Amino acid sequence: MSCRLSSALLGLATIALASSATLAVEPPPARQKELTHLLIHDCGSCHGLTMKGGLGSPLTPASIAELADETLIAIILDGIPGKPMPPWRGEISEDEALWLVRILRKGPDHARLPAR
Amino acid sequence: MRAFPLASLAGALVAASLTSLAAELRGTGDLGLVIERASGSLQIVETTGRTSLGRVEGLGDLSHATAVFSRDQRYGYVFGRDGGLSKVDLLERKVAKRIVQAGNSIGGAISQDGRMIAVGNYEPGGVKLFDAADLAPIADIPAIAAPGEKASKIVGLADVPGQGFVFSLYDADEIWLADTTVPAKPRITAFKGIGKQPYDGLVTPDGRFYMAGLFGEDGIALIDLWRPQQGARRILSGYGRGQEPLPVYKMPHLRGWAVAGDLAFLPAIGRHEVLVVEMRGWTERARIPVHGQPVFVIARPDGRQVWVNFAHPKNDVVQVIDTLELAVVHSLAPGKAVMHMEFAPRGEQVWISVRDADRVDVHETKGFARVATLAAEKPSGILFAARANRIGF
């Protein structure tokens, strides 16, 4: 699978024009909270609450370091054809996807468990 | 002078009653676990008075977690996402033993004789066997389908009669049957060409058939474990009728599956449907339109009802299918993120975890009234000790 996944990622990577994207609008705080919740719990159901992977690939900073922002945004918005990763377009905007990528790149912070 | 021994006697009595509290004489047949996925904890609950008896902490990453139970139903073996395997004492409400046996795991099973725990792992891929008493390692089964290949992620691991385990190789499109008669030397039978991307599997309640749901194509792989030499066959091929599947925001789970009489109820992948299979000829009997992408499709123990929950973003609803009418007869809306449902052993009540509401609801299954609510932190799996007596659980 890793082989097929890498080739899928490679395909998407070639579409990427630059290594990092710019965030037009920061999501408002309430939306940030929703997105973080979505990331931890819904992305986390395949990628793990701590993003160390599960049926889905790990999304730790080291594991996504070589993927451009655009590649990751494209995967979030359009999914990976033939793989379980679904498209989130319609539920997540392009800016929001980039915001999530930034969170992922920052690492464990995003995965900090909600305050009890 | 006299007061002194009396006081110390009273003190001794208090101390004795405190220490015996945990060891209070009781059975475990009505006990269960509620996984609290975000805090690495679980609650011990009882289904007679419908209360929580306490919390056990320190179980690691439970973002994907499940459990099996010892045959005496005293211990739960909890499998965590981080590769943790914890033996939890339901009576003393504490972790009796805990190991971290892999980097990333999915779930496990207990052997027919209750002596062995098998864990299915993602990283590194494969199955490991442990002694149920002290969790000492017994054997390692790396799921390498061909020389030079990476060990596959394991899904759908279940016990089978005859002291064995069966599981699917997500990356290699194979099903393996492990005979563990000699625990340290498992003998593997590999079934190839079973279909694309098995995502989970189950054993029928009688232990005869193993089914693996396929993500990569419309169909289900089926093995008759009484006649493994016949190999794997495909059933329900092309159930999507060529239509483009809808995105799947959460993978369905097949354990705890639904058999009612001679019908099996299965989640369709990428469709808002429950598929009904005639088990005699393994043909499609019906497809029932439901609220969203089904995740769990679970029969009440008597088989008259099948309860279904759904994937994000339609995960706020639970639907009830009547197995005579083969139609949805009731819908509940417990709240956002219904994760799991578990029936009391004879099915008069069902426990439903509502993750985002930090709540577990208990409903009667006749009349559907909510009869209790328990507070829980981001609850996911609800697992009752009565699972100890079921093949494939």
Side-chain angles (χ1 to χ4, degrees), chain B residues 202-218:
Chain B
L202 60 90
V203 164
T204 51
D206 59 6
R208 176 166 178 182
F209 296 99
Y210 180 73
M211 288 174 164
L214 301 173
F215 181 85
E217 61 189 271
D218 296 335

Side-chain angles (χ1 to χ4, degrees), chain B residues 60-146:
Chain B
D61 179 355
L62 298 182
S63 56
H64 188 289
T66 186
V68 297
F69 294 89
S70 61
R71 62 195 273 150
D72 65 3
Q73 299 188 28
R74 173 159 180 182
Y75 298 99
Y77 297 90
V78 180
F79 309 97
R81 168 61 86 208
D82 55 2
L85 168 58
S86 308
K87 181 176 180 178
V88 175
D89 187 330
L90 301 182
L91 287 178
E92 298 206 9
R93 303 200 280 275
K94 65 175 195 197
V95 177
K97 175 91 185 179
R98 176 174 161 80
I99 58 169
V100 175
Q101 53 82 40
N104 196 321
S105 71
I106 173 73
I110 187 163
S111 63
Q112 186 177 32
D113 66 1
R115 289 172 189 273
M116 246 188 310
I117 303 295
V119 193
N121 290 320
Y122 279 166
E123 192 55 54
V127 171
K128 285 185 181 176
L129 303 179
F130 297 91
D131 189 310
D134 58 4
L135 306 187
I138 294 176
D140 195 354
I141 309 173
I144 297 168

Side-chain angles (χ1 to χ4, degrees), chain B residues 325-336:
Chain B
E325 294 178 31
L326 295 181
V328 172
V329 292
H330 193 77
S331 294
L332 290 86
K336 259 196 87 182

Side-chain angles (χ1 to χ4, degrees), chain B residues 31-51:
Chain B
L31 297 188
L33 307 173
V34 173
I35 306 283
E36 296 181 311
R37 72 195 294 266
S39 43
S41 56
L42 56 81
Q43 289 189 38
I44 312 277
V45 296
E46 54 86 24
T47 57
T48 304
R50 305 175 192 121
T51 59

Side-chain angles (χ1 to χ4, degrees), chain A residues 8-49:
Chain A
L9 294 178
L10 205 68
L12 287 161
T14 53
I15 312 168
L17 297 171
S19 61
S20 75
T22 44
L23 194 58
V25 194
E26 183 105 335
R31 181 62 182 155
Q32 289 188 13
K33 212 176 144 192
E34 282 173 15
L35 288 169
T36 309
H37 187 275
L38 185 93
L39 181 69
I40 291 172
H41 292 288
D42 295 300
C43 305
S45 70
C46 279
H47 298 282
L49 279 178

